């Protein structure tokens, strides 16, 4: 039986990537393709790379248009998804690529988004390690509402969770610096995102605790550590379209050595299809994972500073958004977890 | 029954792309992975993006190692493939991604390569239009030796052949200017290909008739036109890893108008899975086809100059090399022509 | 005596580059810095790289604010400069970086701009060769109104004029394909100019005679040739901020050989400070001229096709806009022609 | 009286940038231009952007060729400069752009370079704050041997020194993550530096305390702090030719607030010509300083994490190498400190 999926927010980068992946998915038939201001347009005008879908017409994002599908992907502005989801049947699988349902703490939501919290949905990061050897994957099986993690949190959590879950890292003075491609900032035309401005240039933004992804990263790390973790997070914009490189560093607890650290990361991801701890001495590059659902990770113990340094790379639009969404969909529906997801990046 | 394939030249960009595509191919099992100076290495050291194949060992490129497979891909330096192919059984499908067997004219070969011509194999550009309404595809069915076209010729021929095949264009004063990503220049470390040199910079090379792809393009155009076509071809290096944008322009024969031109291109590619003539007013961009086997094409009639201008884009490593190779393999083996080949580019 | 200069359109890329050059100019004092929607802002907000001018306040672009300076630079939208210039004294040197006063033919203006022609000012390309061995430079000496050429025309004219001025080239079937950095498209935020769209991508635009620079290039070539020259011009957008690479090719008249061609170009630019014909075998790259007022040129005679191919590179914002403007100002005021203009590009 | 300068290592990126700056310097005449393997070549072959110097011949790097100049710039491989310097007169100003004479501690040198320490020369970072309100500038006045800082240390020290000099920061758990353009890795052709590999990709390297710049950064911070400072430093490679963005973060001492932090940085650089603390809310981008000798800095107090985060940008080849060298030369010779150095970056 074919599974039908509707995609809202189809004019943006996240929506476009969901469509790209679904078109390659062996079990999915793409139904409604919706957006707001571009409703009525050919998809080919908005997403010219989706050549085989170019003649599909974009319809308005309404509950009516999204209803009647087995799966509905929401790639909407902040604050918009709860109202749409409420109008969809409870047994429709609704996957929200936006931020609305990620945070568990309504106060943290209000502090960063200045609106009422829409509630918390199961968090779509299957590899996340929880207390007692459990994985987040279990909570997604059979779920009908899923919140896709942010791209920075995906990258940061995959980097650091093995150390916190194994009790090897101090919960203070965790520092995370990430470099993201510009597609993470979306498709709306802002002057500082012009090619002329970003090519050949690196810049930070949202510095000093102000980035909305900070509470989401701290939530995931704290859940894994079983204690409250505080981070300093600085995102930077890199001159590339896709990819996130995260450099994450934390103080190592007394007595922990390099071999113990390496073992923790290897054990954490040894059975994971998409998370690759590289052989010692090989460092990740975002190019390795372009267009794929992979993460590649390397770590080093800096004895001099008493810290572990972990580098992780993902494609922000694939594993960091649409790939994570499709992987979570597969789990929720009982399909093979990797269906429709590329295991090989496009390089060079 | 599973089909086995060996890939030689696996340490380079062409070989790596063949492996990427074959790993996604539903009917193919990857056998020997061979190279020369890197024999004995883990594939992951040379092709870090091929994460799921990282632990495969590269063996030496010898006929012995390549034998016993249904298909053998050769991605070797110029002049090396004939000797290897001669040692492989006649019923093994041998696909040469190099230049050795593309040209029909031994003198043209000698002029540009200064060595003896190795012979001509069926040319792996299925969409090429031949006299009498035939397509090159027919010559590939059941073939056991195939010469993959060069990346520039693929781009230029797809752009101009419809006009020549329909007898609409003058055979003189054809001008072709192509911009290629740097992966077309291969993986050997030359100073002018350093990132520091190419980023933020455009430059021409091989100007003035000296580029080796000139006779290959003229051969294909002449075969389509049924008369000798002469071109001026200038390749340029663009600051991107992948992609070719070809701007091709030719004088239009007297009496030909814009509608006739458009009809010729639309008719030529209307049934082709991978060649997309865009709706009027939409121009191609290399990003549209990244990582896919697609070509996107647009044309305009410049009445003022009496010329048609055609723009085409391909991914030089996919449709321009490895994708064309796999597509030709599919045809030769009677598989669905698009098996294992992405129809959607990775964008943005 | 210090010369004072006002700069309008100071929030855009052309205006910013004029300011960068003037700040380094030994004879100029920067006066009013004006713009429209950003009037009242600190310059540092709009042009963050102009650090030593950051605290200057942008004022409204009015004749009142621009008056009282020795020189006024206009970097305004099409159609706006004539009205401003009319309100400035006749002995003020007004330099228009926009298109309004470049074309000699009011009909050509109307065809491409759909408005009344504002009149023709001396054309600010000093190196342009005119009939009888004259140069455009002579017409700029003492001028008080100057029209700065477009960036594409600067690049194309510098490439081809020596051949037309020497009577070596056929006036038909001239083909020009240029690749420009994105800064040529200006600073207004349009979706197709986002970094995510342009990085890693090449695309054509304004194809088929539709680009507004076509009549300007034909005007310059025809004036040099002494007969009407027709071109096919295709601009493309390259993934870099600055730089234009022009590939220009024309049929060579019967009997002309390679040595004659080379001599024509060498003679044309042997005494020019900013135009460099490279030694045989060395091809230009846009990186060579970044931030400088230089053009670098190479040519080859393609005997096979009977055509000369000329490659030229400039920085579109410097020699192609602001540098050409300052060079013309220097000539008009009797200053050393190269005052304030870098002779060395910033590379790599 | 004209001052003559010789430049060794003229075929590399550092040497090329020294030449670019000296050619614009009002007081300097460029004498010998030397290199090793490219001795005998035209400079234009190796440094095609130095168009006005293209016909100069590169000579062999020998003491004989370098002698007889007032200033000698050494841009040589590690370990080579001491021998050359020993053969030059004591009253010749020798400026070493390499690492040999930067470190004060011979053991630190041996640990990272595995060779005998060549001795310590005055450190060419004029803005560096020392105990008692002194600046490093004082030590450069009249000096005849100067060690130019590494590009990463320049960036990191400018970012953090004001806080340490003012006693506001804890000396442990200092984390520095820097993104550098590829020109920092030099001009030798290595596969991982190919354009195809670096474009569209971010990657870390030298992780875990292994980078040779770590002891140099710790030396500078410790000297400013008056106590031993320990850092975790991770360099990353960004897809751009030039520029370093450093993100540096340190724990703030109890009781220190945001206003105190801001005052420390503002006071530190208020009188500095090339170091710009941006207005609150404006963040630096490497494009702002391209080709200039400027650094731009911003900071934020992250109360949540109890840390200050400082972002700094420089051009690694200008302020980070050749600009710092010329600035130090100016001080040593009693010239205006900014002579020959651009105060405005080339953007966009």
């Amino acid at each position: 039986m074919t599974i039908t999926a509707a995609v809202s927010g189809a004019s943006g980068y996240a929506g476009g990537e969901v469509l790209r992946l679904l078109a390659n998915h062996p079990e999915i038939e793409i139904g409604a393709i919706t957006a707001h201001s571009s409703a009525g347009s050919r998809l080919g005008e908005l997403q010219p790379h989706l050549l085989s879908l170019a003649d599909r017409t974009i319809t308005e994002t309404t509950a009516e248009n999204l209803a009647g599908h087995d799966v509905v992907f929401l790639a909407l502005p902040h604050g918009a998804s709860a109202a749409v989801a409420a109008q969809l049947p409870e047994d429709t699988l609704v996957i929200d690529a936006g931020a609305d349902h990620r945070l568990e703490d309504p106060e943290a939501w209000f502090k960063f988004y200045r609106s009422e919290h829409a509630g918390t949905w199961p968090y779509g990061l299957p590899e996340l390690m929880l207390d007692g050897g459990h994985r987040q994957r279990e909570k997604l099986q059979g779920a009908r509402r899923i919140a896709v993690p942010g791209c920075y949190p995906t990258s940061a959590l995959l980097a650091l969770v093995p150390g916190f879950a194994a009790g090897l890292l101090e919960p203070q003075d965790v520092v995370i610096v990430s470099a993201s491609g510009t597609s993470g900032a979306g498709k709306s035309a802002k002057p500082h995102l012009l090619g002329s401005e970003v090519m050949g240039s690196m810049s930070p933004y949202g510095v000093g605790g102000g980035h909305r992804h900070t509470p989401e990263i701290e939530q995931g790390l704290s859940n894994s550590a079983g204690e409250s973790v505080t981070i300093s997070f600085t995102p930077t914009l890199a001159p590339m379209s896709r990819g996130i490189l995260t450099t994450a560093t934390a103080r190592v607890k007394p007595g922990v050595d390099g071999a113990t650290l390496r073992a923790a990361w290897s054990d954490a991801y040894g059975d994971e299809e998409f998370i690759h701890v590289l052989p010692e001495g090989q460092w990740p590059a975002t190019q390795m994972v372009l267009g794929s659902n992979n993460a590649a990770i390397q770590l080093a113990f800096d004895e001099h500073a008493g810290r572990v340094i972990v580098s992780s790379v993902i494609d922000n639009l694939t594993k960091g958004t649409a790939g994570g969404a499709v992987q979570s969909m597969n789990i929720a529906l009982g399909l093979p977890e990797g269906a429709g997801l590329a295991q090989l990046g496009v390089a060079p």
Side-chain angles (χ1 to χ4, degrees), chain A:
Chain A
M1 196 198 71
T2 302
I3 300 162
T4 59
V7 178
S8 66
S11 60
Y13 290 148
E17 185 75 349
V18 170
L19 287 167
R20 184 177 77 85
L21 298 179
L22 293 182
N24 287 322
H25 197 293
E27 313 285 343
I28 299 289
E29 182 181 318
I30 297 173
I33 297 175
T34 81
H36 182 54
S37 63
S38 51
S41 305
R42 286 176 71 250
L43 184 63
E45 292 172 43
L46 278 297
Q47 305 280 10
H49 63 299
L50 301 179
L51 284 163
S52 60
L53 301 173
D55 289 329
R56 297 286 305 266
T57 299
I58 299 175
T59 58
E60 180 73 25
T61 299
T62 61
E64 194 175 6
N65 284 334
L66 297 173
H69 298 82
D70 301 304
V71 189
V72 173
F73 289 88
L74 303 178
L76 305 174
H78 296 314
S81 55
V84 174
Q87 299 179 65
L88 295 171
E90 286 189 8
D91 63 349
T92 299
L93 172 54
V94 181
I95 299 181
D96 187 359
D100 294 19
H101 302 93
R102 292 173 192 159
L103 293 185
E104 298 165 4
D105 177 4
E107 284 184 36
W109 173 268
F110 184 80
K111 182 178 165 196
F112 283 87
Y113 293 91
R114 295 287 147 189
S115 63
E116 202 184 345
H117 189 219
T120 310
W121 289 358
Y123 192 66
L125 187 60
E127 300 89 352
L128 194 63
M129 306 174 80
L130 307 175
D131 275 345
H134 294 281
R135 298 271 178 166
Q136 180 65 18
R137 171 176 291 117
E138 301 164 28
K139 299 194 176 178
L140 300 173
Q141 289 156 355
R144 285 301 173 263
R145 294 292 185 272
I146 293 175
V148 181
C151 50
Y152 284 123
T154 295
S155 167
L157 293 173
L158 291 174
L160 285 177
V161 153
F164 281 110
L168 306 177
L169 307 178
E170 301 282 3
Q172 306 302 323
D173 286 308
V174 179
V175 175
I176 300 169
V177 178
S178 294
S180 173
T182 54
S183 63
K187 204 175 179 174
S188 47
K190 295 170 190 160
H192 75 285
L193 296 175
L194 283 173
S196 303
E197 302 290 323
V198 298
M199 287 187 284
S201 199
M202 294 275 317
S203 58
Y205 65 99
V207 185
H211 196 278
R212 290 168 167 187
H213 282 167
T214 300
E216 186 181 341
I217 298 171
E218 291 187 340
Q219 170 180 294
L221 295 180
S222 300
N223 286 347
S224 296
E227 62 180 327
S228 178
V229 175
T230 305
I231 66 166
S232 160
F233 171 56
T234 303
T236 67
L237 201 63
M240 57 191 190
S241 288
R242 288 177 175 234
I244 292 179
L245 167 67
T246 286
T247 304
T249 167
R251 238 181 307 140
V252 168
K253 287 194 174 166
V256 175
D257 62 10
T260 307
L261 288 164
R262 177 156 292 275
W265 266 260
S266 297
D267 292 351
Y269 297 130
D271 294 332
E272 291 294 339
E273 182 177 355
F274 292 115
I275 319 298
H276 301 260
V277 179
L278 298 175
E280 260 192 280
Q282 186 178 27
W283 288 86
T286 61
Q287 198 189 54
M288 291 169 62
V289 298
L290 185 86
S292 83
N293 201 49
N294 289 326
I297 292 176
Q298 185 54 283
L299 67 154
F301 178 34
D302 182 351
E303 283 194 72
H304 172 71
R307 301 180 74 95
V308 67
I309 301 166
V310 191
S311 293
S312 75
V313 296
I314 59 167
D315 183 320
N316 58 303
L317 289 180
T318 320
K319 180 61 178 166
T321 305
V326 168
Q327 183 182 358
S328 295
M329 174 195 79
N330 289 338
I331 295 169
L333 298 179
L335 300 171
E337 190 168 326
L341 294 168
Q343 288 185 315
L344 297 175
V346 179

